[in-house]
Amino acid sequence: MRGQKQPKHCVFCHPLERVVYEDDDFIAFHDIKPDAQLHLLVIPRKHYGTIKELRAGDMPMIKRMYEIGQQLLEEREFVEDTARFGFHRPPFNSIHHLHMHCLGLPFKSRAERMFPKNGSLWFMPAENLITTMSGQSN
């Protein structure tokens, strides 16, 4: 599913409401079920499956997604300890289109368990993914 044409069943591949950012390669929009005060998703326009399908050559894409997420949260005054970025690990992702969660804290209810700062079996912080992918390219 890496960079394939847009499947008809992928809700992220079709025009979206709630868009806060878009360019030729990426779109960012509000999560339909926010788990934090601000909950944005950054996705590539090209369809990619999950983080398991990424290769070292995808590093620029991941870095750009992270930069976009940081910029969007900073513009809304969420920085450092009030911002979190990351990806759900399969099979814990609900949509099979690569997407990065950009969370402006505080969390709603008990959502913090879903997005632990240091990562978990089900969540990989964006910084950790970039570090892991950097090791693949050596």
Side-chain angles (χ1 to χ4, degrees):
M1 300 279 284
R2 293 175 32 78
Q4 292 181 352
K5 69 178 185 175
Q6 300 176 349
K8 291 180 184 175
H9 65 277
C10 180
V11 297
F12 285 177
C13 282
H14 301 286
L16 301 164
E17 297 177 9
R18 310 179 315 279
V19 172
V20 296
Y21 173 90
E22 60 183 313
D23 64 24
D24 291 341
D25 300 312
F26 302 96
I27 303 172
F29 53 95
H30 288 276
D31 192 297
I32 196 165
K33 294 181 182 175
D35 288 308
Q37 183 176 337
L38 178 66
H39 189 163
L40 303 175
L41 301 174
V42 176
I43 66 169
R45 284 189 185 268
K46 273 179 109 174
H47 187 89
Y48 286 80
T50 69
I51 60 173
K52 276 186 138 179
E53 298 171 32
L54 296 174
R55 310 233 190 304
D58 297 320
M59 172 81 82
M61 175 183 65
I62 297 301
K63 285 184 174 180
R64 182 65 186 132
M65 290 173 71
Y66 185 48
E67 289 168 3
I68 291 167
Q70 287 179 309
Q71 173 190 335
L72 291 170
L73 264 59
E74 285 173 10
E75 288 171 358
R76 290 155 179 82
E77 300 184 10
F78 293 98
V79 293
E80 310 235 352
D81 289 340
T82 63
R84 194 160 302 168
F85 307 91
F87 302 83
H88 284 296
R89 299 175 194 250
F92 302 102
N93 51 305
S94 57
I95 304 291
H96 195 75
H97 182 126
L98 185 67
H99 58 284
M100 182 180 70
H101 294 266
C102 306
L103 300 143
L105 308 180
F107 285 104
K108 291 184 174 183
S109 188
R110 296 183 219 151
E112 186 168 8
R113 293 182 299 182
M114 293 174 51
F115 306 95
K117 185 175 185 172
N118 296 319
S120 66
L121 177 64
W122 57 87
F123 181 75
M124 178 174 274
E127 302 89 339
N128 295 13
L129 179 59
I130 291 168
T131 300
T132 300
M133 291 179 75
S134 293
Q136 291 177 358
S137 63
N138 293 336

